Amino acid sequence: MVTAVRHLGPNWYASVMGTAIVATAGAGLPLHLPGLRTACTAVWALSLAMLLALLAARTLHWTHHRDQARAHLLDPAMAPFYGCLAMALLAVGGGTLVVGRDWIGLRAAVTLDAVLFGAGTLIGLTAAVAVPYLMAVRHHVHPAQATPVWLLPVVAPMVSAALGPLLVPHLPAGQPRETLLLACFAMFGLSLLATLLMLPLVFARLVTGGPLPLALTPTLFLVLGPLGQSTTAVGKFADFAPGVVPAADAQAFSLLAVLYGVPVMGFALLWLGLATAHVVRARRHGMRFTMTWWAFTFPVGTCVTGAESLSHHTGLAVYDGLAIALYGVLVAAWVTAAVHTARGLLSGELLAGPRPAPVALRPVTARTT
């Protein structure tokens, strides 16, 4: 077991995020299908089990393979995935209050979510500072190396912003509730501005440097994460602001939910089309399964919750249809990634170390006379 986790990187937390969002997004659908909520609760329970298993495995990794763990931190392709640890904690915690309370009770759900939210937020804020610092000081990256993976550390606080309001009603009335709500709003601004700084680098790399390598092509879906999650966040601010902040501020949050959410969701659909086109091209060129395929899950799930929020705040049926359609894509992506991951674990391929590059033989030139 100790040897098996040597190459277990923080990118594996993406599978927890992708599983948890299936549960929370499904619970908010404008559908009343028999057994849907129970199925979502079961998926949440699976995400909790996955989180606990990964935390244990990663603890073994840090305990017995510190050289590899440090190498991950100093690797510009792997270090940004430390944002996934924060988002995995937050996603499972949010799912606890949304559906998990059906099985464990409200009091236990609030306690578990408070612990996971606190830990996830602290780790997320640390990663949002530490990873860009390492990129500038130790990684020495170049614009040509820019990929959507760079967004992961700065998106983590946006997940806190979107899920933190769920805890507001469970705090004492007055300043505790207002402080948490406005703290979430501050993290919304922090993550949004950081994303606006990072995203142009990714887009410029894409249009000037050509398509991403095949294995990295699915990471284009990561751009949907801050778009869908920020739309979800402003909707949650509007939902929980009444009675917590002054009436004028609550009304402003309601306006922001629509005036911000509608155009951002429009851009998310544009990016979804662009990313899908790149993935189709990569698949035709032989793209095989890697753990980057989990990028098809959580970011799409945030667009589902964003569409659900817009449906609630606008009353437009088109957003109901959008949420249902995107949820179908999410479930299909989750099943595909989960099946391939299970196969890779059983075969041992996914936990194996990187394969050495083939040694090129020196060409032999025949002497002629």
Side-chain angles (χ1 to χ4, degrees), residues 28 30 304-321 323:
V304 175
T305 57
E308 292 169 350
S309 174
L310 288 174
S311 171
H312 173 69
H313 289 285
T314 65
L316 295 178
V318 66
Y319 287 114
D320 289 340

Side-chain angles (χ1 to χ4, degrees), residues 47 61 66 75 82 84 118 169 253 264 323:
S47 71
H61 174 84
R66 292 184 181 179
D75 183 357
Y82 274 91
C84 290
F253 276 126
V264 170

